[in-house]
Amino acid sequence: MSFEESLMKDTLIEALGIKMLEISPDKVVATMSVNGATRQPAGMLHGGLL
């Protein structure tokens, strides 16, 4: 497990399945699937996750 992965263990990032693709002092690039954990009751991505 990398240092970055260890920082995300047991966090909301891990629970939502967010994957970090790039981490630098200037930016972070991440992906997250739209699924049952991230959809609001109407079936759309929850706005708080944008």
Side-chain angles (χ1 to χ4, degrees):
M1 178 181 303
S2 72
F3 175 72
E4 289 87 0
E5 290 171 330
S6 70
L7 292 176
M8 294 174 233
K9 184 162 175 42
D10 300 323
T11 66
L12 185 59
I13 291 170
E14 182 181 57
L16 293 174
I18 296 171
K19 303 294 181 203
M20 301 297 169
L21 302 178
E22 180 182 342
I23 301 173
S24 74
D26 299 319
K27 72 177 178 180
V28 173
V29 178
T31 62
M32 178 186 71
S33 296
V34 178
N35 57 37
T38 59
R39 288 188 182 111
Q40 44 104 319
M44 298 172 61
L45 177 66
H46 191 286
L49 298 172
L50 293 177

